[in-house]
Amino acid sequence: MAEEINEDYPAEIREYLSAFENSIGAIDDMLKTMMSVSRNELLQKLDPREQAKVDLVSAYTLNSMFWVYLATQGVNPMEHPVKQELERIRVYMNRVKEITDKKAAKLDNGAASRFVKNALWEPKPKNASKVASKGKSKK
């Protein structure tokens, strides 16, 4: 059926239409996978950071699809509030990425404890201080 559709359009856009059709198919497959599990069930299996990622990707995807819809209806999405919404979501996605990157740089507990142990002041034994003070008084 795709070949029949492509014959109706100019050769210059056939490749773009074919790529678009493949993308729509991939989106459809992903949506079916996501919809096969309830949202609550999915989120219960994830930590809060992963939950935030799922929510942000879902919101971004939905708004991106609306962007495409507006474009197909002849509305310039650059002049529509959806542009600001996509930018807002992108800012939050960057924040989550920064937090994830900071968490990735974890502390090496063994190295940290050795560093602290070596940096701490240790008192000299009592005998060593008496010997040192006796030597000073004799001079």
Side-chain angles (χ1 to χ4, degrees):
M1 179 160 169
E3 290 299 320
E4 294 174 23
I5 293 172
N6 286 340
E7 291 175 9
D8 294 340
Y9 296 99
E12 301 87 38
I13 64 169
R14 284 185 191 157
E15 186 176 321
Y16 293 112
L17 288 173
S18 177
F20 182 70
E21 184 178 26
N22 291 338
S23 296
I24 294 294
I27 290 170
D28 188 42
D29 292 343
M30 285 187 268
L31 284 174
K32 284 179 183 174
T33 302
M34 274 188 83
M35 301 300 278
S36 68
V37 178
S38 75
R39 185 175 185 283
N40 288 336
E41 187 179 328
L42 174 67
L43 293 179
Q44 286 176 354
K45 297 177 183 178
L46 303 174
D47 63 35
R49 206 170 331 134
E50 295 298 320
Q51 290 175 5
K53 287 180 182 180
V54 168
D55 287 340
L56 288 168
V57 167
S58 298
Y60 194 84
T61 302
L62 183 62
N63 281 282
S64 295
M65 290 171 63
F66 187 66
W67 175 288
V68 172
Y69 170 76
L70 290 173
T72 62
Q73 299 302 307
V75 176
N76 183 0
M78 295 292 285
E79 298 172 356
H80 193 275
V82 73
K83 181 180 183 232
Q84 287 82 23
E85 184 65 13
L86 283 167
E87 184 57 36
R88 186 180 72 85
I89 296 167
R90 193 175 300 121
V91 166
Y92 285 113
M93 290 173 102
N94 288 334
R95 284 185 187 171
V96 169
K97 185 178 184 312
E98 287 173 12
I99 291 168
T100 302
D101 291 346
K102 285 180 184 177
K103 287 282 186 180
K106 292 188 177 185
L107 179 65
D108 181 357
N109 289 335
S113 64
R114 288 189 302 275
F115 178 77
V116 170
K117 182 179 176 183
N118 290 328
L120 291 176
W121 174 79
E122 292 183 23
K124 294 179 182 178
K126 290 183 180 181
N127 294 339
S129 63
K130 287 180 182 178
V131 171
S133 63
K134 285 181 183 178
K136 290 180 182 177
S137 61
K138 288 183 179 178
K139 287 185 178 179

